[in-house]
Amino acid sequence: YVLQGKQVREVVAPGDGLVVFALDDKLAVTDGVTLKLYDLPLRNLVAGHGRVAAYDQAGVRVWDPAHDTLQQLDVPGIVGVAFAPDGTLWAATADVLYVEQDGGLLARHQVDPSTPIRGLEGAARGIWVALGDSLALLRDDTLLLAATSPMLAPGTKLSGSPSGDVWVRTISDGALARYGEESGGGRDLTLWRQKMQPIFSRLCQGCHLAGGSAHIDLSTYSSWAKLRAQLSARVVDRAPTPMPPAGGGQLTDAEMADLRAWVARTP
């Protein structure tokens, strides 16, 4: 690549056989035969669909090597950028996910400040989001909680996979693990956490924690998913034995509507 003696800081591949190297104060672009140097001292590079994006505390810059165009998108506090499978650019601050639209970045998803966004990584299935100390998946403009997630330590790095999964590398010890969205997770899991888990906390956990008096653990999404038909019968239809039991409290009309909709889903 005619780069002998040059300090390479980062490397990305935007497609069409091109490879882009970030040098100290330039970008080097090669197709394996020729090399061109550009006066673009960009850092935090990601690439996809023929474009290269970079970010710093001032915002995002998007470079198109084929047309040699550079676009500045001013949003301070950017912590990550990624290209979606359709080529759309997404960017994030600690509390907002932005999507590229009409030559700018449009705020699309606000997150809880207690679980700040720490990074983005594109993959074939969507964009993986380091959300607090766990993973989420941005797909079809919906932010989905991952069915399983590691505990993300500070400084954890994400790498997207062509399969759609994500590689998680812990900087402190070099540990590497691969995670994906399990069947039955995604939107179904997100709805469970938003709608069903508060019902469990208010009405069910007295008996249905692991090791509880009911001897049926309902403290996890997977346990609810496996017992979906029984929940429909016992709680919605209240047969053969109604739940919650007499004296155990009752679901509000809104909670019952949410439960009826969730048990009727096909994840």
Side-chain angles (χ1 to χ4, degrees), residues 9 14 140 209 263:
R9 303 297 183 181
D140 299 330
L209 286 169
V263 298

Side-chain angles (χ1 to χ4, degrees), residues 6 8 23 35 40-41 60 82 123 133 152 163 203-204 230 256:
K6 295 181 172 63
V8 175
L23 309 180
L35 181 82
L40 294 172
V60 181
D133 60 2
L152 302 183
S163 69
L203 294 173
C204 312
Q230 291 90 325
M256 181 61 77

Side-chain angles (χ1 to χ4, degrees), residues 71-129:
Q71 183 181 18
Q72 178 75 35
L73 305 175
D74 293 322
V75 175
I78 294 293
V79 298
V81 294
F83 288 102
D86 65 358
T88 301
L89 178 69
W90 288 77
T93 59
D95 58 352
V96 179
L97 276 164
Y98 295 86
V99 65
E100 178 184 28
Q101 186 170 310
D102 298 328
L105 291 175
L106 175 68
R108 184 60 61 89
H109 296 283
Q110 184 94 26
V111 304
D112 191 323
S114 65
T115 55
I117 300 169
R118 292 166 34 196
L120 305 179
E121 181 65 31
R125 200 177 296 173
I127 295 175
W128 289 95
V129 182

Side-chain angles (χ1 to χ4, degrees), residues 7-12 19-23 27-28 42-46 53-54:
Q7 182 66 57
V8 175
R9 303 297 183 181
E10 300 177 44
V11 57
V12 293
V19 181
V20 177
F21 300 92
L23 309 180
L27 291 185
L42 304 181
R43 290 293 183 269
N44 303 308
L45 304 182
V46 299

Side-chain angles (χ1 to χ4, degrees), residues 124-153:
R125 200 177 296 173
I127 295 175
W128 289 95
V129 182
L131 190 61
D133 60 2
S134 61
L135 289 170
L137 179 65
L138 179 65
R139 188 175 66 189
D140 299 330
D141 200 15
T142 301
L143 188 61
L144 307 172
L145 300 173
T148 60
S149 175
M151 291 291 290
L152 302 183

